[in-house]
Amino acid sequence: MIFYDCSTAPNPRRARMFIAEKGLDIEKRDISIAKGEQMSEEFRTINPQATLPVLVTDDGLILTENLGMAAYLEALHPEPPLMGRTPEEKGQVLMWHAIVEAQGGLPIAEALRNSHPAFAHRAIPGPENHAQIPELAERGLARTRKFFDLLEARLQQNTFVALDHLTLADIAAFVFVDFARVIKMRIPEGNTATRGWYDRIAARPSAQL
């Protein structure tokens, strides 16, 4: 297998952490988004949508979305379980993963891509250019603040986001919370449950990658 990564972007980091938690050693090729390497003709023969991460399997299957990669690797390597064992657990992991993406990942991206000069005309990932909309940046910031509230409420009830152990949902939430620094947002001081959860995951070897 070949894993196309980008060391500075959040979505590849999610896949990188998942692979590490599985204890897998997969050949890696780093693609620099800062240098626009994802837009190259060579890379777009692999992924025409010019997005990262990408996993190319031994059989030549090309997977371009975190959820697809995780499901594939979980099926091949079920231990440790990062997407649940029972139907109930699987449902909870996927539900919370969807919540984290929609309420955390998307707002942070919306705020960053619609405000930062580096993303002028690149407000949406992919092969086509899109102009920034400042109002969407403001909305993204407001939604990110709500995401921190949502996460704190959940973690006051549960040690981890979905189950009683680390799962795909925790990896996504951790990466998004960490990446929120790019829009100058951090875990609010009073969110002690979130801080404890964040520190526990930050201490894991996978979080150092």
Side-chain angles (χ1 to χ4, degrees), residues 14 17 30-31 36-37 76 96 133 137 192:
R14 292 162 59 190
M17 286 184 66
D30 199 74
I31 304 296
E37 291 177 353
L76 280 181
W96 277 105
I133 301 174
T192 55

Side-chain angles (χ1 to χ4, degrees), residues 152 186-193 195:
E152 177 66 12
R186 307 307 293 149
I187 299 171
E189 188 174 338
N191 291 22
T192 55
R195 171 53 62 185

Side-chain angles (χ1 to χ4, degrees), residues 7-78:
S7 60
T8 59
N11 285 330
R13 188 185 183 196
R14 292 162 59 190
R16 196 160 63 241
M17 286 184 66
F18 190 92
I19 290 168
E21 289 290 339
K22 284 291 182 183
L24 303 176
D25 184 14
I26 298 176
E27 179 183 346
K28 185 176 73 171
R29 297 182 187 172
D30 199 74
I31 304 296
S32 174
I33 291 176
K35 295 178 181 177
E37 291 177 353
Q38 82 280 13
M39 302 297 290
S40 70
E41 184 176 342
E42 180 183 4
F43 181 73
R44 288 176 65 181
T45 61
I46 299 163
N47 181 12
Q49 295 305 307
T51 59
L52 290 156
V54 175
L55 181 69
V56 180
T57 74
D58 290 337
D59 295 328
L61 175 66
I62 297 174
L63 298 170
T64 64
E65 299 295 331
N66 265 291
L67 189 56
M69 293 179 210
Y72 175 80
L73 294 174
E74 180 92 347
L76 280 181
H77 306 279

